[in-house]
Amino acid sequence: MSVPALRLRENLSVAFQRGKASGPRTEQLGAPAVDGDNPPSVYDYLGDMQLRFMFTASDGTNAVAKRADLERLGLTPQLAMTQVTVNTRRARGAPKQGLFGLGVYQFTGRGDADTDASYLLDRGFWRTQLQAFPRGVVAAIPRRGSLFFADAGDSAATEELARMASRLHDAAGEHRVSSFLYIFNTGGWEVLGALPAAAPAAASTAGNQDRQSHRQPSREPDDLYDEQEESLSLAAGGQKMLIYCLIANFVLSAAARQGSIPPLIASALYIAVAVASLFGIVRICSGLRYGTSAKILFMVLAFVPLVNLIALLYLSARTNRLLRDAGWRVGLLGAKAS
């Protein structure tokens, strides 16, 4: 796509970048952050964040929006923010959140996850969240493209958000964005406070090590994403395996009744399907992060008539909920990532 064809209203987007720590404490566009003849459209926005307007096409082509571009399009910086919200919803759909873990939410759905931070400008979405979280919404943009949030009334969730954002920010290097937490209430966004210092990787004393053995071990920030994706893949793969095993079981039963399969071969196939079903149950339980005792329980229940159907329906329902919350498409023959 040529650059002139790219510089249209419908391609306007935004990126958040590091700015001065002494920026605005409430949501507002400050003075242009870059001077000169026809400079890029970069503005101090909130806390230590700056807004940089861009033009981004559906094929990924992008270009920096200059101040003259906004004037040519008849857009003030404030109107440009509104246009970005419209464009983001058109490209990715209305914002949909999924539980990332321990009360912390992220955005799910179609499109490029690197544009998640653009949803910070979608005031309609955040006002809707106040119905579920009347004490406000706490959010963090620790690194480029990432936006996480939690219920301001849930202290455990906000503490987890702060710890996670601190780790992400500490490891992001040149991709760091903001070292602050922000809160949205009826007045809009404002700075809540600075992120805590990243926790050390290991305890320094034997006593600390004993206490840490009962807690979740320290992980690299990117491992949070890898672990979540692994859990989703395990659950989806296990569910698909069980679905195919059920279909195979019906086919084998029909063939055995008609006598089209020798009894010895039918018995061997039944055993193979049963073993595959157990593997599927283990994968689902691992994806749902069940412990060893729960895995053993569901494996035993798989051999109890009628009860096995209830147990499998329960596991399938829990898996469907997990995958839908993460933005996966769930169908009759399993799920696929969106």
Side-chain angles (χ1 to χ4, degrees):
M1 178 179 292
S2 65
V3 173
L6 177 65
R7 297 180 182 276
L8 303 174
R9 273 180 179 246
E10 55 266 31
N11 293 328
L12 194 64
S13 63
V14 75
F16 290 87
Q17 64 186 34
R18 280 184 293 174
K20 299 177 294 184
S22 58
R25 304 291 294 183
T26 58
E27 184 182 17
Q28 59 181 306
L29 284 183
V34 181
D35 296 323
D37 296 331
N38 195 23
S41 296
V42 180
Y43 299 87
D44 292 326
Y45 175 59
L46 178 63
D48 57 353
M49 293 191 297
Q50 291 180 336
L51 269 182
R52 183 177 75 251
F53 289 103
M54 307 280 293
F55 290 105
T56 304
S58 57
D59 62 0
T61 307
N62 59 66
V64 175
K66 300 295 186 68
R67 207 171 302 166
D69 289 318
L70 298 188
E71 295 174 357
R72 175 177 55 82
L73 295 173
L75 296 172
T76 63
Q78 289 75 15
L79 289 176
M81 290 170 59
T82 303
Q83 185 66 50
V84 167
T85 298
V86 172
N87 293 346
T88 303
R89 281 181 172 252
R90 185 183 65 249
R92 294 197 62 190
K96 294 181 180 179
Q97 74 270 26
L99 190 62
F100 184 78
L102 299 177
V104 178
Y105 294 86
Q106 65 176 348
F107 288 106
T108 64
R110 69 178 190 271
D112 183 1
D114 286 342
T115 64
D116 279 356
S118 300
Y119 282 130
L120 192 77
L121 305 181
D122 196 328
R123 296 177 69 89
F125 170 77
W126 298 110
R127 289 195 185 101
T128 301
Q129 295 308 299
L130 292 180
Q131 299 175 12
F133 308 137
R135 294 184 60 180
V137 183
V138 178
I141 304 181
R143 66 182 183 184
R144 195 173 302 165
S146 299
L147 172 58
F148 301 93
F149 62 97
D151 178 8
D154 185 340
S155 58
T158 55
E159 288 173 6
E160 174 62 20
L161 170 64
R163 286 192 295 266
M164 185 189 72
S166 179
R167 293 194 296 267
L168 290 171
H169 184 267
D170 189 59
E174 63 181 10
H175 298 293
R176 291 177 183 171
V177 176
S178 179
S179 60
F180 287 102
L181 288 173
Y182 302 93
I183 184 168
F184 184 87
N185 48 41
T186 54
W189 287 108
E190 61 183 73
V191 175
L192 178 62
L195 292 175
S204 58
T205 66
N208 283 340
Q209 289 175 355
D210 291 340
R211 287 193 295 270
Q212 288 292 335
S213 66
H214 299 287
R215 300 178 184 175
Q216 186 174 1
S218 177
R219 295 170 293 172
E220 291 295 323
D222 285 338
D223 288 347
L224 293 169
Y225 293 100
D226 296 339
E227 182 178 331
Q228 185 197 36
E229 288 303 313
E230 182 181 3
S231 296
L232 295 173
S233 297
L234 282 171
Q239 183 188 51
K240 190 169 293 186
M241 189 177 295
L242 282 182
I243 291 172
Y244 290 151
C245 285
L246 287 174
I247 295 174
N249 207 17
F250 283 122
V251 172
L252 280 174
S253 297
R257 283 195 299 269
Q258 294 176 1
S260 55
I261 300 179
L264 185 60
I265 295 178
S267 298
L269 291 175
Y270 275 124
I271 292 173
V273 170
V275 171
S277 298
L278 293 179
F279 275 112
I281 290 173
V282 171
R283 287 175 65 88
I284 289 180
C285 290
S286 297
L288 296 174
R289 300 184 183 181
Y290 288 167
T292 302
S293 58
K295 293 176 183 177
I296 294 174
L297 174 63
F298 281 108
M299 290 172 70
V300 172
L301 293 179
F303 294 97
V304 181
L306 296 181
V307 176
N308 56 2
L309 291 178
I310 297 174
L312 293 180
L313 286 174
Y314 171 80
L315 288 176
S316 183
R318 291 297 303 272
T319 301
N320 286 342
R321 181 176 179 181
L322 174 70
L323 296 174
R324 285 197 180 100
D325 286 345
W328 288 49
R329 295 191 300 272
V330 178
L332 291 176
L333 295 179
K336 294 182 180 180
S338 297

